[in-house]
Amino acid sequence: MKYLSFPGCSLRSTGRAYEESIVAVAKALEIQYEELKDWNCCGATSYVSIDEMDAFALAARNLALAELQSAEGTINLVAPCSACYLVLSKTERYLEDYPNVSANVNAKLNKAGLHYNGRVEVRHPLDVLVNDYGLENIAKRIKYPLKGLKVACYYGCQVVRPFSKFDHSHYPVTMDKLVQALGAEPVDWPLKTRCCGGSLTGTTQEAGLRLNRLLLKEAQKRGADIMVTCCPLCQHNLECYQERINRIYKEKIELPVAYFTQLIGVALGLSEKELGMQRLFKKPSLEHITHPKGEMANAW
Amino acid sequence: MHGNGHNEPMRIGFYVCHCGHNIATIVDVKALAEYVKTLPGVSISREYKYMCSDPGQELIQKDIREHSLNRVIVASCSPLLHEHTFRTAVEKGGLNPYYFQMVNIRENVSWVHTDTKAATEKAKDLARAAVQRVFHHKALETKHVKIHPDVLVVGGGIAGIHASLTLANAGKKVYLVERQPTIGGHMAMFDKTFPTLDCAACILTPKMSQVKNHPNITLWTYSEVSKVDGYVGNYKIAVKRKPRYINEELCVGCMDCIEKCIYKEGKTPDEFNVGLSKRKPIYIPFPQATPQIVVIDRKTCIEFKSGRCKKTCIEACDRKAIDFTQKEEIKEIEVGTIILTTGYQIFDASRVPFYGYGKYPNVYTSLEVERLVNASGPTGGELILRDGRHPKTVGIIHCVGSRDKNTNRWCSRTCCMYSLKLAHLLKEHTDAEVYNFYIDIRAAGKSYEEFYDKLLDENVHFIRGRVAEVSDWAVRPSEEGKLIIRAEDTMIGIVRRVPVDMVVLAVGMEPQADSQDVRRMFNISCSTEGFFLERHPKLAPVDTFTDGIFIAGACQGPKDIPDSVAQAGAAAAQALTLIDTGEIELEPNTAFVVQEECSGCRTCLTICPYNAISRDEAKQKAFINEALCKGCGTCVAACPSGAIKQNLFEDEMIFSEIDGLLKMEQSACC
Amino acid sequence: MSDKPKVAFYWCASCGGCEESVVDLAESILDVVAAVDIVMWPVAMDFKKKDVEAMADGSILVSMVNGAIRTSEQEEMAKLMRKKSKLVIAYGSCAHMGGIPGLANQFQREEILQYVYEESPSTVNKEKTRPKMKFGINGNSVTLPIFFNVVRALDQVIDVDYYLPGCPPTPKLLKQAIEVLLSGKLPEKGAILAPDIALCDECPKKDTKPSDLKFTEFKRPHWTKIDPNTCLLAQGIVCMGPATRGGCEGVCISGNMPCTGCFGPTSRVKDQGAKILSALASQVEAKDEKAINETLATIPDPIGTFYRYGLPSSLLRRKNF
Amino acid sequence: MLLNANLEKKKTMSTIIEQEKNTNGWEPRIVAFFCNWCTYTAADLAGVSRLRHAPNARIIRVMCSGRVDPQFILDAFSKGADGVLIGGCHPGDCHYMEGNYKALRRMQLLKRMLKDMGIEEKRFRLEWISASEGERVKTVINEMTEQVRVLGPLGLPKKFKDWDKELESLEQAVHGEEEAVHV
């Protein structure tokens, strides 16, 4: 199966490790993963709140381009960043459900000589890996089972809400299942989809950090060695402010926060570099993760 | 294919009703009558104040005699209201009632229009249509069907039990079919009943044994209806009796066999205790089960799984009642009427994962709690949580799977009251602090509101707010090891975190999983939610659109015990009425195949919803069983060569009606 | 001239197959010739309009006119034949119901002319020349018949006594018809000289049709591997048999092709297309609108399929402009 | 001069005049087939509740929307209806189990065919109206009346006549032309 990728801005800045690890994993799993040519900003959540129609048009351009890039059939456009995923999904849905919207948007697209025919399905890498590729197939290729590693899976708010395309909007389990398949032990905690603070960490920091802290603290309390997430903003928030949180709230939080794709990579035995591990502030201690034969994972 | 097929000249009598002022003030009745005079075939055209009055009817009869009318048309109200009246009048006048036709100029004209000119024009069109229509009317016979006196009741919950007893006491023979090994339904599982707090078992079990012992009731438990044929008054039913591997005649329910089963302990979740305890492969659902007969569950019995069991049970039974060779058996019966009391199922709480059912051991459904607080329950009535603790604080969450468009939109009606009841019982058993999280308290019912007040006095806490989540996420030391209920208290407008030891989910009521199959089997309809559809929400609440089939209890919609019993009584009464009338009249609007015109193409066979059409293989033509035909006419519309006709609605009748409606008066014509 | 009863054939808007079908009588045509004088038969014999004009009114026993009425000339000839004949038989689907030419009733006259003389791929006509209705050649003037806007069945132009259905009528039916007419035992006026029961009655595949047939898609014969021993409808192929008058003895069906309805409806049916539409749609499996339309979409051209021979004599007669 | 063109002109002239004749004082004529159990009952309810609505619909009562033969609809149009409305029980509520589904299937295909036959979609409508929806009867009839009014008369009987005029009119024209030639 062939996939088009929509990196979005985050994966080219704070979330580079995310894209690097996705590409590496896709390669290792022999999944065709090709970048959407000439993609543009998804408009993120802010533009929609200013002018919905224009925002749709902006996002729809990417959908139209996707159709240009692959001739026929349904196109799986993979958007790893939660914001991109949500905005593109919403656009896709609205263009399908509301004739007036699609008419309006297509009129705008036509000016750029483009047209959207509704062939695109926006997908999240988590969905693709677990539901298309399949856990058994991943398990088959594991070199270094993540034995004894306790992982807190954090989904954030946008992947499963409001469109719960591939998992329950209140209690998602896809990432937990994946982590289990990798040989690790998912930590059962109820905060999987609670707010990470989002952009508040940059605006009303106090509020942002408070929310942020609840997550980290609970995960650590439940014995997590590492937290994995599927959203660049969440990863950034949860990883970067730990020092500050410890200082302000007198906490002792020491929790590596990685992308779920990096974890897969480790299990598959990909190198630290390929997975962009060096970009993490806190390097997960994975020493105990060894090859059945005893030799250590080459990355560690 | 137009024109009058009959040779006799048409002598139509046409009567316009003023209906007091109801029609006459809007429709120019004189002009209408005058106009109809000019139409071909019309002998007399009159207008009169009240056609449905005795003088009005006599007027018609007189004209029939004196002017030997052979068709009669009355333009007045809706045929649904007075068609029968006038048909009878016409018949009394010595004319076949089906030579009569009615024109609706009240509901369809005078009551919905204001402009006299337009209204009168419309009335004329309708009149002309009727005049052209009756040319094609034929003399028909009213059908009568005998009603078989026996009754089938499906479902042995409280509704089914009550309906059966009512009928049996009236001297009718009743077949009560229950899917489970025992009757009693959900009610048997309840501890106490609101608002009176008398124990469910105490009021139910006597009725159960009455059923068992009643000479007029044939009780078939562990059985299911597998086939329904026939029509009102003459249903042919096949009942599948699942093998319980016990000879029902011999077993006395001494339970020695259970005692001696090679399983020393139960291994299978006990259905009656909703999985809170375990049972053996050979068991009796509960001490007062009716009938008092053991059943062997072949899925878990070693003998059936391996065939290498010592079969200690057989040795144990000195009456030799155990029979591993027992086979499924099909019983065929004939009944005249059917009452469906198939009940409901509870909402599956795991469908709302954020309430943690199945994840946190101390989250229970209301039904589980009923068993938990019940003296004959798994814990002998002592409230011990799954983790062995006794709860000090309990949260009851209302409307789980009700009033929620993500699950079920409807209100389950019983949850408020049983939650109050459980709150009371929990306090009684544990003296715990009990919190009710509710959207609204719906205590509409005799002395229900009073019960609510009583609970308030018992210091049960009520928090108005929909619960967001139940979790074990402690943020304060006081919350450690507890379940935290997060909900907005809409009274004071803040989000509250209430730590509790036990959560009770007040799960809603749903249609049975197989309600659609049952519906199809009995040829009745379901409402959009999947509950059985009553014929009229107000005026025929226990009738269905299929004659002779009635519904009662929660299969028709969420209901508490009193309402279910009331409905069961009503359904029984409806059945009795039919039975004691002995026969019912049927509209002769059935369809029939004109044999020499039928090409045997089988189109009609595929589309008749009542399997009324069969194929005469010898003649290779379709044949309609008039008794099975309900007269919808869909086969007539589908017959590609026009070989099927429907009495009262023949193509010619409708074509001439269309023609009449649209034929403009000469003056208006182009 | 012999006093044998006179019989005429005439040919209006049709393919000519009907006239040739007379030859299908094979040797029994000799009996016919022995029994009657054929006074007009454009496809086979050299008679002219004037010959017919010369005859006394009503002197022809029966004229079998085939073809629809599409031009003023055809109208004129139809009227002439009527005048000269005791009986007129609408011979074949085109005369009976408008036939294949009747499908032109989906278009405006101007559209057709434009296409034929200007747009059709095989046309080279830069000057967009249209035929002149009248033009002079060395002093004489020649006029062309007028091309009507509406195609008509024969009985929409002249009074018709009987109908001989089919595209073309089978020799058997023709023979029967002639025998009846010669016998003098005339059927009721307006009669259709074929059984008044649908084709399935005599269909060779009749017994293989299931009694619980439901459609999930309709297949087209040329896209389908047809099982010669099974009812075509059962194979999902649109067969007009159930809505079409029998009498052809299922010639197409035996040739493994579905009935396309050339015999028209039974006497009980006003509109053949509406009836087959009703019958087929009723048996569609799907329940929700979307799925239903997906199934029905597999019938690409309802009019062409259900009204292949009967558009002019259908309830709506032609496309409404 | 081209005879065709000449005739075209004549025709169009005449049709224009006809239309004027038709449209002044013209009222849409809608034939409605209502099922006995749901929609006809709803119409009665509309009456009992005195819900005034356009007097343009003429109701024909059938037992089930499944009884409505597509022929009825075509016949209604050909006899001069400007619109045809069918009313049945909501899906799942049919008194005869599935009659309304059969109606739905037939009408979906008929709709397509009518479109091909040049009859505007808005002239034909299938509505599910349950016995309790008297209000809906009013709305639907009013809506449809106005929609049809906008479309103007369909007037098939009139059109049939016009089409047949073609015969004579063309005849005269020919003879006219011929005489002209022979002079």
Side-chain angles (χ1 to χ4, degrees):
Chain A
M1 201 160 175
K2 187 179 150 202
Y3 297 88
L4 279 184
S5 91
F6 177 88
C9 57
S10 307
L11 273 67
R12 293 301 159 85
S13 53
T14 54
R16 283 175 69 179
Y18 195 9
E19 184 172 31
E20 289 165 346
S21 54
I22 292 176
V23 172
V25 167
K27 183 149 156 290
L29 298 178
E30 292 158 21
I31 298 173
Q32 280 193 58
Y33 195 69
E34 173 189 303
E35 181 172 334
L36 174 65
K37 295 194 189 69
D38 190 30
W39 58 270
N40 58 266
C41 170
C42 72
T45 45
S46 40
Y47 198 174
V48 185
S49 51
I50 296 166
D51 180 325
E52 211 174 33
M53 220 38 102
D54 290 351
F56 282 144
L58 184 72
R61 177 172 181 277
N62 295 306
L63 304 183
L65 288 176
E67 286 185 331
L68 284 184
Q69 194 161 336
S70 62
E72 71 275 326
T74 349
I75 303 151
N76 289 286
L77 182 63
V78 180
C81 164
S82 297
C84 305
Y85 177 71
L86 174 57
V87 173
L88 292 175
S89 297
K90 185 175 179 184
T91 311
E92 172 208 335
R93 178 78 63 93
Y94 272 57
L95 288 172
E96 194 184 332
D97 293 356
Y98 303 98
N100 61 323
V101 175
S102 73
N104 190 318
V105 167
N106 272 311
K108 290 185 161 76
L109 291 176
N110 292 343
K111 296 206 182 99
L114 288 168
H115 184 85
Y116 177 59
N117 306 309
R119 285 198 291 125
V120 175
E121 193 180 331
V122 179
R123 307 286 304 275
H124 192 277
L126 186 56
D127 180 16
V128 169
L129 286 166
V130 175
N131 299 320
D132 289 9
Y133 193 81
L135 292 175
E136 322 65 44
N137 298 339
I138 294 178
K140 280 197 213 107
R141 294 165 178 264
I142 291 178
K143 285 218 192 76
Y144 306 94
L146 309 178
K147 282 233 170 5
L149 184 72
K150 298 186 86 189
V151 184
C153 300
Y154 178 70
Y155 297 75
C157 56
Q158 294 173 321
V159 217
V160 285
R161 285 204 298 263
F163 308 117
S164 50
K165 277 187 183 171
F166 63 93
D167 206 340
H168 197 287
S169 54
H170 292 273
Y171 197 81
V173 291
T174 313
M175 216 189 303
D176 299 69
K177 288 214 210 97
L178 174 63
V179 164
Q180 217 153 17
L182 298 177
E185 175 193 340
V187 172
D188 172 36
W189 67 320
L191 279 58
K192 296 172 171 191
T193 60
R194 275 185 73 90
C195 182
C196 71
S199 43
L200 284 172
T201 45
T203 54
T204 319
Q205 194 166 62
E206 197 284 331
L209 295 185
R210 195 159 14 91
L211 292 161
N212 202 317
R213 157 175 168 255
L214 292 173
L215 299 177
L216 293 162
K217 203 171 158 216
E218 188 63 16
Q220 190 164 291
K221 180 169 156 208
R222 293 184 183 240
D225 307 316
I226 180 172
M227 187 188 283
V228 293
T229 163
C230 56
C231 168
L233 182 58
C234 303
Q235 195 276 342
H236 171 85
N237 279 339
L238 291 161
E239 185 184 41
C240 302
Y241 298 96
Q242 295 188 12
E243 307 304 333
R244 201 170 301 175
I245 288 169
N246 289 341
R247 197 163 62 248
I248 299 172
Y249 301 101
K250 312 271 172 301
E251 300 282 2
K252 290 195 191 49
I253 294 164
E254 273 293 325
L255 189 65
V257 182
Y259 293 101
F260 74 101
T261 39
Q262 293 179 295
L263 211 59
I264 302 174
V266 173
L268 294 176
L270 306 180
S271 76
E272 181 165 354
K273 193 102 178 55
E274 289 174 283
L275 298 171
M277 281 293 186
Q278 75 282 6
R279 302 189 194 281
L280 297 179
F281 291 4
K282 283 189 187 47
K283 200 164 149 198
S285 56
L286 301 162
E287 287 71 14
H288 57 290
I289 293 172
T290 58
H291 191 279
K293 291 204 205 75
E295 123 225 11
M296 249 210 263
N298 54 356
W300 324 100
Chain B
M1 289 301 288
H2 258 117
N4 173 12
H6 319 272
N7 323 346
E8 50 158 358
M10 278 296 137
R11 285 186 303 277
I12 302 169
F14 190 94
Y15 303 85
V16 184
C17 178
H18 297 194
C19 192
H21 298 301
N22 282 303
I23 294 172
T25 44
I26 301 295
V27 175
D28 181 341
V29 286
K30 289 205 168 22
L32 177 57
E34 283 311 310
Y35 166 70
V36 173
K37 275 206 183 86
T38 67
L39 297 175
V42 177
S43 309
I44 305 171
S45 175
R46 311 178 186 276
E47 21 100 17
Y48 184 75
K49 231 169 182 21
Y50 287 106
M51 282 312 296
C52 59
S53 67
D54 290 349
Q57 299 187 34
E58 281 150 18
L59 179 62
I60 297 175
Q61 289 154 359
K62 190 159 151 296
D63 285 346
I64 295 177
R65 284 192 301 276
E66 293 177 2
H67 304 265
S68 49
L69 301 175
N70 53 17
R71 300 288 190 279
V72 172
I73 303 172
V74 173
S76 57
C77 51
S78 166
L80 303 187
L81 199 65
H82 269 317
E83 188 171 50
H84 191 261
T85 317
F86 289 117
R87 275 184 181 165
T88 325
V90 167
E91 194 169 21
K92 285 213 192 91
L95 197 59
N96 183 289
Y98 301 101
Y99 281 136
F100 169 79
Q101 176 69 14
M102 200 157 172
V103 184
N104 182 343
I105 57 168
R106 192 179 72 174
E107 284 82 350
N108 285 356
V109 181
S110 68
W111 276 355
V112 287
H113 305 320
T114 43
D115 168 32
T116 297
K117 188 174 173 303
T120 311
E121 281 314 303
K122 181 173 175 181
K124 286 179 181 173
D125 290 350
L126 295 169
R128 195 170 47 234
V131 169
Q132 295 197 178
R133 189 187 208 274
V134 291
F135 273 70
H136 304 281
H137 278 211
K138 298 191 176 71
L140 299 170
E141 260 178 49
T142 312
K143 302 275 169 308
H144 297 271
V145 192
K146 291 242 165 304
I147 305 288
H148 190 297
D150 297 357
V151 188
L152 167 70
V153 178
V154 186
I158 181 57
I161 290 171
H162 186 76
S164 303
L165 287 172
T166 313
L167 288 158
N169 292 337
K172 306 304 174 203
K173 190 165 180 354
V174 179
Y175 297 92
L176 175 56
V177 176
E178 166 58 51
R179 177 187 292 176
Q180 301 300 331
T182 174
I183 55 171
H186 282 101
M187 184 175 174
M189 301 162 87
F190 298 159
D191 181 45
K192 295 212 164 68
T193 58
F194 62 80
T196 47
L197 293 177
D198 38 6
C199 93
C202 317
I203 54 178
L204 179 63
T205 44
K207 278 175 139 308
M208 287 163 65
S209 40
Q210 279 179 46
V211 168
K212 180 81 194 79
N213 304 325
H214 204 298
N216 290 342
I217 299 178
T218 311
L219 173 60
W220 285 334
T221 56
Y222 214 49
S223 308
E224 288 177 31
V225 175
S226 56
K227 196 152 168 290
V228 179
D229 281 329
Y231 48 94
V232 56
N234 306 273
Y235 287 107
K236 291 183 184 32
I237 310 291
V239 178
K240 183 177 74 192
R241 304 216 57 200
K242 295 176 272 181
R244 61 204 298 162
Y245 305 106
I246 305 291
N247 181 321
E248 294 197 8
E249 277 59 43
L250 299 176
C251 177
V252 289
C254 66
M255 307 196 207
D256 289 353
C257 51
I258 304 177
E259 184 55 36
K260 294 285 178 348
C261 175
I262 60 155
Y263 278 105
K264 287 289 144 270
E265 288 306 316
K267 288 237 179 341
T268 319
D270 180 330
E271 296 82 359
F272 186 73
N273 282 334
V274 260
L276 293 174
S277 66
K278 299 257 196 294
R279 62 158 172 84
K280 297 180 177 181
I282 183 167
Y283 68 105
I284 277 187
F286 61 102
Q288 303 91 334
T290 308
Q292 273 286 322
I293 298 172
V294 174
V295 55
I296 297 176
D297 162 18
R298 68 174 299 150
K299 275 189 232 63
T300 50
C301 172
I302 299 275
E303 176 57 16
F304 283 108
K305 287 199 305 197
S306 67
R308 276 189 260 91
C309 180
K310 290 214 296 304
K311 288 183 246 158
T312 42
C313 48
I314 291 188
E315 301 155 19
C317 181
D318 44 28
R319 297 180 56 84
K320 303 280 161 281
I322 296 175
D323 171 10
F324 282 97
T325 67
Q326 210 173 62
K327 295 268 165 296
E328 170 181 299
E329 129 181 68
I330 300 291
K331 295 270 189 191
E332 309 235 325
I333 55 170
E334 290 191 7
V335 299
T337 50
I338 300 170
I339 298 177
L340 296 177
T341 52
T342 51
Y344 66 100
Q345 71 181 25
I346 62 166
F347 173 80
D348 169 11
S350 60
R351 278 172 61 193
V352 282
F354 43 97
Y355 286 169
Y357 181 75
K359 179 156 176 281
Y360 305 120
N362 294 345
V363 178
Y364 291 83
T365 66
S366 44
L367 194 56
E368 287 168 339
V369 180
E370 293 279 358
R371 295 312 302 150
L372 214 50
V373 295
N374 186 288
S376 66
T379 58
E382 187 186 0
L383 205 105
I384 312 166
L385 296 176
R386 287 201 178 91
D387 64 5
R389 291 187 293 137
H390 294 79
K392 298 204 175 23
T393 48
V394 182
I396 302 179
I397 302 178
H398 291 218
C399 300
V400 176
S402 305
R403 304 182 68 188
D404 175 357
K405 72 185 220 307
N406 298 318
T407 53
N408 299 329
R409 300 184 80 102
W410 61 87
C411 166
S412 295
R413 288 186 68 210
T414 55
C415 324
C416 281
M417 288 309 294
Y418 77 58
S419 299
L420 296 179
K421 174 194 74 183
L422 290 175
H424 170 84
L425 296 175
L426 286 162
K427 259 194 150 347
E428 202 173 63
H429 284 65
T430 64
D431 196 35
E433 287 298 320
V434 180
Y435 298 84
N436 275 276
F437 296 86
Y438 67 98
I439 307 176
D440 306 286
I441 291 293
R442 297 187 167 176
K446 195 173 178 189
S447 52
Y448 287 8
E449 183 68 13
E450 295 88 321
F451 188 74
Y452 175 36
D453 291 338
K454 177 165 144 27
L455 265 283
L456 291 168
D457 297 340
E458 290 175 6
N459 302 326
V460 173
H461 308 285
F462 287 87
I463 299 174
R464 199 189 78 182
R466 181 137 218 181
V467 171
E469 70 170 8
V470 173
S471 77
D472 59 354
W473 173 42
V475 293
R476 298 185 206 88
S478 60
E479 296 177 346
E480 292 299 339
K482 300 217 172 236
L483 292 167
I484 294 85
I485 298 176
R486 275 180 58 251
E488 182 189 6
D489 184 331
T490 55
M491 293 289 197
I492 51 176
I494 60 155
V495 175
R496 291 176 62 167
R497 299 174 56 89
V498 181
V500 296
D501 304 315
M502 175 190 197
V503 171
V504 181
L505 303 179
V507 287
M509 296 164 89
E510 280 185 340
Q512 291 277 20
D514 58 356
S515 65
Q516 289 296 341
D517 310 344
V518 175
R519 182 212 117 197
R520 266 178 224 100
M521 184 157 53
F522 287 92
N523 264 354
I524 64 171
S525 319
C526 276
S527 55
T528 41
E529 317 80 66
F531 292 109
F532 296 154
L533 186 71
E534 63 280 2
R535 191 183 200 113
H536 189 287
K538 294 169 186 59
L539 302 179
V542 298
D543 300 59
T544 66
F545 282 106
T546 305
D547 296 326
I549 299 186
F550 308 97
I551 49 177
C555 63
Q556 179 265 350
K559 236 172 246 70
D560 59 13
I561 295 165
D563 290 1
S564 301
V565 172
Q567 268 201 343
Q574 291 294 63
L576 281 171
T577 320
L578 264 187
I579 298 167
D580 289 352
T581 323
E583 62 173 26
I584 60 165
E585 262 189 20
L586 292 184
E587 184 93 344
N589 58 11
T590 47
F592 59 94
V593 178
V594 181
Q595 292 290 306
E596 53 280 7
E597 296 174 356
C598 173
S599 73
C601 74
R602 292 189 181 84
T603 304
C604 49
L605 296 177
T606 67
I607 64 173
C608 176
Y610 302 101
N611 307 323
I613 313 181
S614 53
R615 194 157 184 276
D616 178 335
E617 288 305 336
K619 294 212 209 96
Q620 301 215 325
K621 291 178 187 296
F623 166 80
I624 297 182
N625 178 341
E626 205 180 1
L628 292 180
C629 174
K630 300 268 186 297
C632 63
T634 189
C635 58
V636 188
C639 176
S641 65
I644 308 183
K645 301 188 172 18
Q646 181 185 16
N647 288 322
L648 295 176
F649 292 93
E650 293 188 22
D651 284 353
E652 291 72 20
M653 299 179 185
I654 296 169
F655 279 129
S656 49
E657 224 174 327
I658 296 171
D659 185 67
L661 281 183
L662 293 164
K663 198 180 282 165
M664 279 170 281
E665 290 170 65
Q666 296 317 316
S667 57
C669 187
C670 36
Chain C
M1 205 169 182
S2 82
D3 48 13
K4 281 193 282 179
K6 297 188 175 52
V7 173
F9 298 96
Y10 192 71
W11 171 354
C12 296
S14 69
C15 63
C18 278
E19 293 227 327
E20 289 172 7
S21 73
V22 179
V23 185
D24 296 345
L25 286 169
E27 46 282 350
S28 49
I29 195 165
L30 300 170
D31 315 345
V32 178
V33 175
V36 303
D37 272 337
I38 298 178
V39 297
M40 181 77 164
W41 189 8
V43 83
M45 302 167 77
D46 184 19
F47 292 107
K48 297 273 186 295
K49 181 182 172 192
K50 61 175 174 3
D51 304 322
V52 181
E53 282 171 329
M55 299 185 204
D57 290 1
S59 59
I60 304 175
L61 170 64
V62 51
S63 290
M64 308 215 185
V65 180
N66 72 79
I69 305 300
R70 152 55 97 202
T71 69
S72 54
E73 181 208 21
Q74 291 155 355
E75 179 197 355
E76 200 178 340
M77 283 305 290
K79 287 181 169 160
L80 176 64
M81 300 314 285
R82 173 74 270 183
K83 193 143 142 268
K84 301 292 172 186
S85 321
K86 280 197 192 59
L87 300 170
V88 170
I89 294 183
Y91 186 95
S93 309
C94 300
H96 175 201
M97 303 179 289
I100 302 275
L103 285 170
N105 275 359
Q106 292 174 88
F107 310 96
Q108 285 285 53
R109 172 159 164 275
E110 180 51 29
E111 287 177 73
I112 296 170
L113 295 174
Q114 198 169 353
Y115 181 79
V116 172
Y117 290 107
E118 295 166 19
E119 293 161 1
S120 87
S122 57
T123 306
V124 184
N125 179 7
K126 288 198 187 49
E127 307 69 27
K128 299 197 186 308
T129 316
R130 294 275 188 96
K132 281 217 176 71
M133 302 305 293
K134 137 186 111 52
F135 54 94
I137 303 172
N138 43 45
N140 303 326
S141 95
V142 183
T143 57
L144 279 182
I146 290 130
F147 184 82
F148 291 154
N149 188 39
V150 180
V151 182
R152 292 178 177 74
L154 189 60
D155 63 3
Q156 291 170 327
V157 176
I158 61 167
D159 179 44
V160 169
D161 299 283
Y162 304 114
Y163 302 81
L164 202 49
C167 181
T170 61
K172 186 172 167 197
L173 288 178
L174 172 56
K175 201 151 173 294
Q176 280 172 5
I178 293 172
E179 281 159 5
V180 172
L181 295 171
L182 294 177
S183 74
K185 293 190 223 66
L186 297 180
E188 185 189 347
K189 182 165 189 212
I192 297 174
L193 305 177
D196 195 6
I197 186 167
L199 178 59
C200 297
D201 181 58
E202 57 190 28
C203 176
K205 299 183 171 40
K206 184 179 190 178
D207 296 332
T208 62
K209 189 177 182 192
S211 295
D212 54 357
L213 183 56
K214 289 259 178 266
F215 297 112
T216 50
E217 77 166 316
F218 293 97
K219 305 203 186 71
R220 308 185 67 183
H222 54 292
W223 290 349
T224 316
K225 176 113 183 50
I226 299 176
D227 165 10
N229 305 318
T230 311
C231 166
L232 293 150
L233 281 163
Q235 302 182 55
I237 292 161
V238 175
C239 175
M240 293 278 286
T244 304
R245 192 183 280 264
C248 65
E249 294 160 287
V251 278
C252 301
I253 312 277
S254 321
N256 237 3
M257 273 293 144
C259 169
T260 50
C262 69
F263 269 55
T266 62
S267 62
R268 277 104 40 202
V269 173
K270 280 168 175 269
D271 191 293
Q272 185 183 17
K275 262 306 187 183
I276 192 69
L277 177 151
S278 182
L280 295 182
S282 304
Q283 297 177 78
V284 165
E285 176 97 66
K287 274 185 151 193
D288 70 284
E289 209 166 314
K290 190 164 169 298
I292 290 171
N293 287 330
E294 278 164 8
T295 304
L296 294 175
T298 55
I299 301 177
D301 172 17
I303 294 179
T305 315
F306 301 147
Y307 292 95
R308 186 163 305 173
Y309 302 92
L311 194 51
S313 60
S314 71
L315 283 166
L316 299 180
R317 291 182 57 183
R318 80 178 320 307
K319 182 168 180 181
N320 169 60
F321 290 94
Chain D
M1 174 211 61
L2 252 181
L3 183 51
N4 301 21
N6 183 7
L7 290 164
E8 292 298 339
K9 204 177 289 163
K10 274 192 194 159
K11 270 184 65 61
T12 47
M13 281 305 293
S14 66
T15 42
I16 291 164
I17 298 158
E18 290 316 332
Q19 266 155 15
E20 277 163 0
K21 220 200 294 169
N22 272 339
T23 34
N24 67 57
W26 166 81
E27 276 293 321
R29 303 157 66 76
I30 293 165
V31 174
F33 298 89
F34 284 177
C35 86
N36 181 71
W37 303 96
C38 289
T39 315
Y40 192 86
T41 318
D44 275 4
L45 178 60
V48 177
S49 341
R50 309 296 200 278
L51 300 171
R52 314 277 180 213
H53 56 260
N56 301 62
R58 309 277 186 266
I59 299 171
I60 293 177
R61 182 171 66 106
V62 288
M63 293 312 285
C64 175
S65 52
R67 173 65 183 94
V68 180
D69 183 328
Q71 290 188 109
F72 297 165
I73 293 134
L74 300 184
D75 192 53
F77 280 127
S78 73
K79 293 264 171 60
D82 302 301
V84 177
L85 170 64
I86 297 171
C89 310
H90 286 270
D93 298 355
C94 177
H95 176 61
Y96 302 103
M97 324 280 304
E98 305 220 321
N100 50 0
Y101 286 111
K102 277 142 197 151
L104 176 63
R105 294 177 186 128
R106 294 170 188 152
M107 298 321 156
Q108 287 302 318
L109 187 48
L110 187 67
K111 221 186 242 151
R112 238 176 92 202
M113 213 191 74
L114 287 172
K115 203 153 160 260
D116 297 350
M117 287 299 277
I119 293 180
E120 300 90 340
E121 276 174 278
K122 289 215 175 346
R123 292 192 187 272
F124 173 57
R125 184 161 172 180
L126 174 64
E127 276 290 334
W128 306 137
I129 304 179
S130 80
S132 56
E133 298 175 303
E135 191 65 40
R136 187 104 188 96
V137 172
K138 170 187 168 180
T139 328
V140 169
I141 289 180
N142 284 343
E143 264 179 28
M144 193 164 176
T145 307
E146 284 327 299
Q147 290 167 340
V148 172
R149 192 187 301 285
V150 172
L151 293 171
L154 178 61
L156 286 186
K158 180 86 193 48
K159 288 210 173 86
F160 293 162
K161 284 206 182 66
D162 292 346
W163 295 345
D164 289 342
K165 284 201 194 103
E166 177 180 47
L167 296 168
E168 303 86 47
S169 66
L170 284 170
E171 237 171 17
Q172 291 154 6
V174 181
H175 299 320
E177 287 292 325
E178 280 170 353
E179 280 147 22
V181 177
H182 291 309
V183 174

